Every structure is written in structure tokens, then in C-alpha cells.
Amino acid sequence: MSAAAATGELGSTGRAVKTNIPKRLDRLPWSRWHWLVVIGLGITWILDGFEVTLVGSIASALTSKNTLHLTTHQASSAGTFYLAGAVGGALLFGYLTDRVGRKKLFMVTLGVYLLFTVATAFSWNFASFAAFRVLAGSGIGGEYAAINSAIDELIPARVRGRVALAINGSWWVGAAGSALASYALLNWMSASIGWRLGFGIGATLALCILAIRRFIPESPRWLLTHGRAEEAEEVVREIEAEVEKTAGPLPDPENAPLEVEQREHIGFVSIAKYVIKEYPARGVLGLSLMTGQAFLYNAIFFTYTLVLTNFFNVSATKAGLFLIPFAVGNFFGPLLLGPLFDTIGRRAMISFTYITSGVLLIVTGQLFVHHAVSATTMTICWSVIFFFASAGASAAYLTVSELFPMEVRAMAIALFYSVGTGFAILSPTLFGALIATKSRTNVDYGYLLGAALMIGAGLVAVFLAVAAERRSLEDIARPITARARPADAAAAPARAR
């Protein structure tokens, strides 16, 4: 696809603006303003972790006749309905994020989550519970596109990897909080009321974050490509003024300005065609990483309390506590390994974390089959596995958000998230069916499948991962409507990497 054809097919209007805004954002020192971005946007993963773990923690309790009286299969399938909503929400809100802006959508999606999480607390049977899970999931799915694109576009390039991994790792703060909350609610209150109040906690947290997000600006990079260059300049000046309050005078931005053509919105079909033609290897990489981590996490964490109660005779009211060590391992994995993704590099660390977690999963599955682990030692094994898997999974979201051009970033995130999660959408139901057989060997078949997907994705990363560490987003993937310089034209064939 020629540059002219690409810009024509992908909505270029022919109007151009020359800017150094991306370089000005990347050269900013870390400041209080960046912490506002991290807290205001990163809370998404805490909410998602709370939701996923809450449903997993109370899955066994929901089978009681004093609650919704679900079957084991229905309790585990609730996760599938949540994921179905997340997939649909990612596609719908990802499209809108690219069309109307990051800021509007990360307010709307959080509001959708809040509304239907409250509705979940008032479910009266399986059908209503499943329907509200779908709608709450759509809000969280929409958050992935809006938030990942906004974070990447506002965080300096030199620390983008470690910040993105740490934010994604905060999922486990929500998971730990959910485990503690579910234990308290199910043990200190009537089961028929406790599980309902659990969803109110997530909604309360979302309400508080809505207030913080009002102070986070629209992405200047997004404004640049939508005919709002003057507004983008104003936003960046305000950010620079805020940073200077604590960091002092700022250095001049490096390198020549970028000339970007203004454009109209781009559809999913156009994105898919563009990715296939221009970045086929990156497309395979993103799909492999997202599918592997989605299957592993969705299968395990929607059903783990069912494993504890069915195979280790752990009380349903205490099963959630075993998720706390998981949360610790999963949180510290991205936090401690994250800086290595910016120093050692993406390729080495992504392949290492994926392959290592897959191999450890195979070993743990065999120990489980041969009754060589107790509930406690099984939990320790999982904590070690997911120390590595969590860093790898966080890197998957980072990868699909930084490897594609600015104009299509939100929809590319949505597309890869949806396809990867779509492949894994039945994993909770599959594991629920395997658990229902009461056969450890059958459950291990599910573990082996998850391990194979993780190892396979790690091998793909060995060959296809891109050295994106400490590089500007515009250097990793030049904007589609950027006017090419002679040096760019000469290097064009290499861009398909």
C-alpha cells in the first residue's frame, strides 16, 4: 500500500499541521501531574481485578439455596458472560474512542460499569445476573481501549514500559481487596445479603474515580489528528506549566517536528486491512500474546475457588482468602520485572515471562494430578507461576497499544483485545465443565492447554517482538497520515516488521 493510497483510504483530508508535541510530551520529567494520570486512569485495572475476583470468590456461595441457587456450571459461566460484554464493549467503545476522543470515552465507560455493577447487586436469578454481568463487562471492555491509548500517549517514552506494566499489575490490588471483602461479607453477614454488597464496593470506588478523571485532559496526540491542533497546543502548554511547578525549567524537545495530515475517522475494516498489509508480523504477535494470557487468566481466576472447594475441601466462605497470595505474586511480578522491559528490552522479557509461566504451569498441573500438593502448596505454586505470567500479560496490553500508528491505536487495542479474549471467552465455562467431572486429570487437560498457548505465544515473541523500549510512539509506528520525508521513504520496506 503506497503512502498516498494509505492516507486516502484511511481518511486523510489533505490538511496538514507541523508539530513537535509528541517530543515535548516525551521529554517531560516525571512529576505530580503524571501521578494524577496514573491514579485517575490506572484505577480501571483495580476495578476489573475486583470484579473478576469477586465473581470467582463468591462463585461457590452463589450455588447456595440462600443466594441465587446456581449450578456449578452456571456459577462458572458467569465469567463467560462478563467476558462477552467486555469483548462487545471494547469494539463499540474502541471505535468511539478513536472517533470522539479518549477523555469522553473514559468517562462514559466508567459510568456504564458503575451503573450495571449496581444493577448486578439486585439480580434475582441467573438470567438477570448474567445480563447485568454482560453490561458491566461492556464498560470495562471499553475502558481498555480508552485507557491504554491515553496512558501511552501521555507517559514519557523512557518509562512507558515500566509504568504500563505497573498500572496493569494494579489489577491485583483489586483482586486482593475483593478476596478480603468477599471473606468478610460471606462470613460476617448473611450470605443472601453479603454477596450483593460486594458489588456495591466496586461501584463506590468507580464513583470516586469519576471525580478524579475530570482533571485529566484529552490526549494532545489525538487532538492533532482531528483538526484541533490549537487545542492540542493549549493542552500541552498547560501540562508543561504544571510539570514546571515541581521540576523547574524544561529541556528543549529533540529532533525535527513531525508533519501530520488531518483526517476523518477510520473503520475497523480499514484498520484490519492496514495492519495485514503494513504490519503483518505485529498483528500475529499481538494476537498470540492476547490470546495466550486471556485464556490462562480467564480460565483460572473465574474457577479457582471451585477447584479449592471441589478438590481440596476448602470452605466456600474461606476460598477467597487463597486468592490473596495470588494477588501478591501477580502484583509484584509487573512491579519488579517492569523496569527490565525498558532496559533488557521487550523481546527478551516478553518471551521469558510467557515461556517460564507456561513451563511452571505444566509442572504444577502434574503435581495436582498426582495429589502432591495441598490447598496451601498449590496456592504457592500459582503465586510463582503468575509472578511471571502477570508481567507477560501486562506486556501484552502494552505491546498492542504501542506498535500501531497513532490514528488507529484505540481501535487496534480494541480489535486485538476482542479477538484474543473472544478466542478465550469460553475458557471459564470449559474449566467449569472439567471441574464438574470431579477428575483431576480432566482439569489438568485445561491447564496443559493454557500452558501450550503461553509457551506458543512466548516463542512467537522470540521471533516477532519489536524493540520498542525507550522509543517514541511515533518512532515505533509512524503516524499513518504523517507526510513522509525522503529518509522515511527509503526505510518503508522495513516497517512491515
Side-chain angles (χ1 to χ4, degrees), residues 21 139 145 194 205 247 252 289 313 349 489:
I21 281 178
L205 183 59
D252 293 329
L289 296 180
N313 297 318
M349 290 306 300

Side-chain angles (χ1 to χ4, degrees), residues 78-113:
T80 293
F81 285 101
Y82 179 81
L83 294 176
V87 168
L91 292 172
L92 172 62
F93 293 120
Y95 170 77
L96 294 175
T97 294
D98 187 64
R99 186 165 185 175
V100 304
R102 292 14 175 172
K103 182 178 178 66
K104 288 182 180 178
L105 264 295
F106 63 58
M107 297 294 285
V108 169
T109 52
L110 189 59
V112 170
Y113 159 81

Side-chain angles (χ1 to χ4, degrees), residues 88 124 259 301:
W124 58 92
E259 190 171 8
F301 283 94

Side-chain angles (χ1 to χ4, degrees), residues 173-358:
V173 175
S178 178
L180 288 171
S182 64
Y183 175 78
L185 292 171
L186 294 178
N187 283 275
W188 298 344
M189 301 187 67
S190 168
S192 61
I193 298 176
W195 73 270
R196 297 180 187 274
L197 292 180
F199 291 102
I201 297 174
T204 301
L205 183 59
L207 188 61
C208 295
I209 296 305
L210 274 175
I212 296 177
R213 285 189 178 178
R214 293 187 299 110
F215 300 101
I216 299 175
E218 179 58 86
S219 166
R221 284 173 156 110
W222 182 85
L223 291 169
L224 278 175
T225 60
H226 286 74
R228 298 162 66 178
E230 292 183 1
E231 187 177 343
E233 177 66 30
E234 181 181 351
V235 169
V236 172
R237 282 200 300 265
E238 290 176 356
I239 294 173
E240 289 173 331
E242 187 65 29
V243 172
E244 283 184 326
K245 291 179 181 178
T246 55
L250 302 175
D252 293 329
E254 299 178 355
N255 300 326
L258 183 70
E259 190 171 8
V260 180
E261 294 188 30
Q262 309 294 277
R263 68 171 184 83
E264 300 169 353
H265 70 275
I266 303 174
F268 278 111
V269 173
S270 297
I271 291 176
K273 289 181 179 178
Y274 187 82
V275 169
I276 291 172
K277 290 182 179 180
E278 299 294 313
Y279 298 102
R282 295 184 182 189
V284 172
L285 173 67
L287 182 60
S288 299
L289 296 180
M290 292 300 289
T291 301
Q293 65 85 28
F295 183 92
L296 181 68
Y297 273 94
N298 294 330
I300 300 303
F301 283 94
F302 278 111
T303 60
Y304 188 66
T305 58
L306 296 174
V307 172
L308 291 173
T309 55
N310 281 273
F311 294 100
F312 295 103
N313 297 318
V314 175
S315 167
T317 59
K318 296 181 179 180
L321 293 178
F322 285 83
L323 294 173
I324 295 176
F326 285 157
V328 172
N330 277 277
F331 174 70
F332 281 102
L335 191 65
L336 298 180
L337 298 179
L340 300 180
F341 285 78
D342 283 328
T343 53
I344 294 177
R346 306 287 201 262
R347 177 178 298 171
M349 290 306 300
I350 292 173
S351 57
F352 169 71
T353 52
Y354 267 74
I355 293 173
T356 299
S357 59

